[in-house]
Amino acid sequence: MVDWDWPALAKVAKLLTIDSNGKHSGEAGFDKTKAVQYGFSFQWEGHPNYWGAFMSNGGQMLVPGGSTGNYTAKVPELWKSAWQFVYDGIWGAEPFIPNGAVSGSADFSSGNVFASGKVAMVDMPSWYLCCLGDLVKAGGKFDFGAMPISLDGKVAGRTDADTFRIWKGTKHRPKPSPFWHTSSTPAS
């Protein structure tokens, strides 16, 4: 069995990143300036804080700093590792993540890179399923996979408020989780 972690994702993504001559990222003769297909993208999840928090199983940049109400910015070490992973995936010697110019190009569906059929794996919430119609109509296929183990070696995930709902009329309404209550309660 292979641990499905971020280094394993990078290894597979490099094999799926192909240039116009059919060579993959890491293969002798691969031309990273002529990539026509990429192995991975965070797609619309493009904020560095997202990469850091998601890839390292949480963390925070603002920590209490002295007196009440004062905070200090401190970047967690695993966030720095996550940012380096993404940087290397875009700009490194063996890239596997499209940069912003490529992702925004018409060839890559103007930012909807997975639907372009030219990016093999993406990190996307389930609400994205609505946007796969063009890919399927063009004969493309997709499947689901587990996200990699966090950089701290633990299984991690995140909640996307766009898709987390408890129907008001449900017969056995559960109490909302502490996260949901906090994120949906107006500040007092």
Side-chain angles (χ1 to χ4, degrees):
M1 185 166 104
V2 175
D3 283 336
W4 185 240
D5 55 17
W6 290 99
L9 179 139
K11 184 176 181 177
V12 171
K14 288 175 185 179
L15 293 172
L16 296 169
T17 301
I18 309 294
D19 70 11
S20 59
N21 294 315
K23 303 230 181 243
H24 67 77
S25 183
E27 184 177 10
F30 173 76
D31 185 347
K32 66 181 184 178
T33 67
K34 295 185 179 177
V36 296
Q37 173 182 300
Y38 288 86
F40 179 74
S41 174
F42 281 103
Q43 191 139 326
W44 292 303
E45 311 283 18
H47 197 283
N49 289 359
Y50 169 80
W51 307 327
F54 188 71
M55 292 177 68
S56 68
N57 201 14
Q60 60 186 29
M61 283 185 51
L62 293 178
V63 295
S67 60
T68 303
N70 289 319
Y71 294 88
T72 301
K74 182 179 179 190
V75 178
E77 290 302 314
L78 286 176
W79 285 29
K80 293 176 188 176
S81 298
W83 295 346
Q84 187 66 53
F85 175 92
V86 174
Y87 179 88
D88 291 344
I90 297 170
W91 305 110
E94 299 176 359
F96 55 91
I97 300 172
N99 65 35
V102 170
S103 294
S105 71
D107 282 347
F108 283 77
S109 295
S110 303
N112 192 358
V113 297
F114 191 67
S116 76
K118 296 179 181 181
V119 173
M121 299 180 288
V122 293
D123 163 36
M124 263 344 291
S126 61
W127 58 255
Y128 178 69
L129 294 174
C130 70
C131 306
L132 291 173
D134 291 341
L135 175 69
V136 173
K137 285 178 191 172
K141 296 180 181 180
F142 69 95
D143 208 339
F144 297 93
M147 290 304 295
I149 294 170
S150 183
L151 293 173
D152 65 2
K154 298 176 183 174
V155 174
R158 67 180 191 86
T159 301
D160 191 320
D162 292 351
T163 56
F164 187 82
R165 301 285 187 263
I166 300 172
W167 182 49
K168 184 178 181 179
T170 190
K171 187 174 181 179
H172 300 287
R173 188 173 181 170
K175 291 183 180 181
S177 72
F179 164 79
W180 184 247
H181 180 72
T182 301
S183 67
S184 63
T185 304
S188 35

